[in-house]
Amino acid sequence: MNGPITVDIAIIGGGFAGLSAARRISQLDLTARVAVLEAGVVGEGPAGANSGFIIDLPHEVSSDDFSGESEAKFRQSVLIQRSAVALATEMAAENGWGKDVFDPCGRYSVAMSADGDKHLQAYSGQLSKMGEAHRLLKTSEIEAVTGSKAFTSGLFTPGTVIIQPAAYIRGVADCLREPVSLFEQTPALSFERYGAGWLVKTPRGSVQAAKIVMANNGHAESFGFFRRRLLHVFTYASLTETFDPSRLAGERKWAATPALPMGTTVRRITTAGGDRILVRSRYSYNPGIEVSDTAIRRAGRLHDGKFTHRFPALGDVGMQYRWGGAMALTRNHVPAFGEIERDVFAACGCNGLGASNSTAAGIAAAELALGHESELGRVYRQLAAPTSLPPQPLTTIGAKLHLAYREWSAGAE
């Protein structure tokens, strides 16, 4: 951005939440002038570092977590996540995205222990009770999918969409049409009251807007919102170099989340030059919303062990890429959402599942900003506000201990 502009709505953040909000605004009001301000380049931030699951069902399949959920809460979660799937599906159909970008192939949850097997069986029972399609897989059946003898059972649910996250989020940006404008490398530095609306300042320009949508997740704190209410957590991933597909049996493309929370996510990806395996695991508390190369290397060593354990025949295949991605969690697991000042609307605090939760929050924030009523909006408005965190250093100590305990509880998973 160079110079001043005037719009109806300024959106701060060009990730899942911000671009989905822009898309929804343009659907509801073709004349609304919108400016999306992205500090970096679309696809190079947390959205592009996502593991690529737009999940349609509750993610944590632990029977302890799930057994206390009421049917209404389950349905609420499904509505939120399927709203994200619906928006993504709509754009894929409009733009003819291939399966290399958008693949409605479903996902597997995989177990590696008796505890994992038990949790999958319990979750299967809950899904049956809710009338949700799924299929339990025995050891031999999940081996036939993954080519790995390490998994003891699996559970398949058909509603998840698997995306190539950077290509997907850039595709969403490319869908935007006038009068929606996207400004990359244009961080919002601050905003202040300006007449009846707001003035957003950027390094080389400014945006006068009637309304603002905050879609910058943990960085909402940088503007003074949700202080001591957001936990800044990073998760890490490694991606192998390409290998000859004949070296690993099973299907050539699949995506699996762990049976136990905080376990290891694995994807097999098909490319023109061969196949790759993605391994995502390890969580760290980073209140500065930055991660060091040392932390990425440390997580990478863990990934190497998990990869070798699951795919011993590929022991000589190295990792070509490693990275960390930021999440913003709240203590009571609710989004940082709503009208936080007059005509300022937040779609932050994804609590993980950024592709699903942030997309849905962006949709709901757009509807709220335009006064549009929907079932999704009613669900979001009924959610509690994020609770405050303990004073430092108790938050840091507690967060690190909690993450370490959850990872330890996941065991081999």
Side-chain angles (χ1 to χ4, degrees):
M1 175 180 293
N2 290 288
I5 64 169
T6 299
V7 298
D8 299 304
I9 301 176
I11 299 174
I12 300 176
F16 288 111
L19 294 177
S20 299
R23 165 79 178 188
R24 187 61 178 140
I25 290 168
S26 67
Q27 289 178 321
L28 295 173
D29 185 351
L30 292 172
T31 66
R33 296 167 299 165
V34 179
V36 182
L37 309 181
E38 167 55 36
V41 173
V42 170
E44 293 185 3
N50 190 277
S51 291
F53 292 72
I54 307 183
I55 290 175
D56 71 321
L57 291 170
H59 184 45
E60 294 195 350
V61 297
S62 160
S63 59
D64 292 336
D65 291 339
F66 195 86
S67 61
E69 281 194 326
S70 65
E71 180 176 343
K73 187 175 179 182
F74 178 89
R75 294 298 181 203
Q76 200 175 76
S77 177
V78 169
L79 173 66
I80 288 172
Q81 291 166 14
R82 286 187 175 157
S83 296
V85 171
L87 186 77
T89 302
E90 177 183 82
M91 287 186 288
E94 278 182 17
N95 296 279
W97 293 339
K99 289 187 177 181
D100 55 329
V101 176
F102 176 95
D103 191 354
C105 60
R107 72 171 166 116
Y108 296 89
S109 292
V110 291
M112 298 182 66
S113 65
D115 282 345
D117 296 336
K118 179 181 175 182
H119 287 309
L120 291 184
Q121 290 164 6
Y123 190 56
S124 172
Q126 294 289 350
L127 292 179
S128 295
K129 181 180 177 182
M130 296 297 156
E132 294 289 347
H134 67 285
R135 180 166 60 93
L136 272 173
L137 290 85
K138 300 175 183 177
T139 304
S140 59
E141 293 173 311
I142 195 63
E143 180 185 348
V145 172
T146 64
S148 173
K149 295 181 180 295
F151 301 122
T152 53
S153 65
L155 184 145
F156 177 74
T157 50
T160 290
V161 170
I162 302 300
I163 60 173
Q164 203 292 1
Y168 170 84
I169 202 66
R170 288 170 181 153
V172 178
D174 291 340
C175 288
L176 302 179
R177 298 288 182 267
E178 291 289 346
V180 179
S181 299
L182 167 65
F183 296 92
E184 294 178 297
Q185 297 178 323
T186 304
L189 303 177
S190 64
F191 58 86
E192 60 191 34
R193 277 284 172 198
Y194 188 83
W198 295 93
L199 184 68
V200 184
K201 296 181 179 180
T202 73
R204 294 192 300 236
S206 62
V207 185
Q208 185 178 341
K211 299 176 181 180
I212 292 174
V213 174
M214 299 281 292
N216 54 349
N217 213 15
H219 280 290
E221 263 194 332
S222 303
F223 293 83
F225 298 106
F226 304 112
R227 282 186 174 160
R228 290 190 52 240
R229 282 172 168 76
L230 298 177
L231 287 162
H232 305 291
V233 173
F234 274 74
T235 186
Y236 301 86
S238 295
L239 185 67
T240 69
E241 59 195 19
T242 56
F243 60 87
D244 184 337
S246 66
R247 296 190 58 186
L248 181 63
E251 298 176 8
R252 288 193 59 196
K253 188 175 183 182
W254 50 267
T257 52
L260 299 180
M262 306 284 283
T264 303
T265 293
V266 184
R267 283 183 61 179
R268 183 172 179 176
I269 300 164
T270 302
T271 74
D275 289 5
R276 297 180 187 267
I277 299 288
L278 178 144
V279 177
R280 193 200 73 188
S281 187
R282 176 53 58 90
Y283 296 82
S284 65
Y285 174 59
N286 300 76
I289 324 183
E290 292 182 354
V291 66
S292 67
D293 291 340
T294 300
I296 293 174
R297 286 194 297 269
R298 188 182 304 121
R301 290 193 289 271
L302 176 72
H303 296 163
D304 293 344
K306 290 180 177 292
F307 173 69
T308 302
H309 182 195
R310 288 159 175 76
F311 307 104
L314 301 177
D316 61 330
V317 175
M319 295 293 178
Q320 187 171 358
Y321 303 104
R322 303 190 194 275
W323 65 93
M327 300 185 291
L329 314 182
T330 61
R331 190 179 183 185
N332 53 336
H333 310 294
V334 297
F337 178 85
E339 188 170 8
I340 51 180
E341 275 200 33
R342 182 165 57 87
D343 293 328
V344 179
F345 305 88
C348 303
C350 65
N351 287 285
L353 296 185
S356 301
N357 288 343
S358 292
T359 295
I363 295 169
E367 294 177 347
L368 184 61
L370 293 181
H372 177 79
E373 285 292 325
S374 73
E375 185 61 29
L376 178 67
R378 284 189 284 274
V379 166
Y380 268 93
R381 291 198 301 274
Q382 291 168 5
L383 295 173
T387 55
S388 60
L389 301 169
Q392 291 291 8
L394 294 180
T395 291
T396 295
I397 294 170
K400 290 185 175 182
L401 287 175
H402 181 71
L403 290 173
Y405 172 74
R406 293 286 295 269
E407 287 190 328
W408 175 81
S409 298
E413 306 286 341

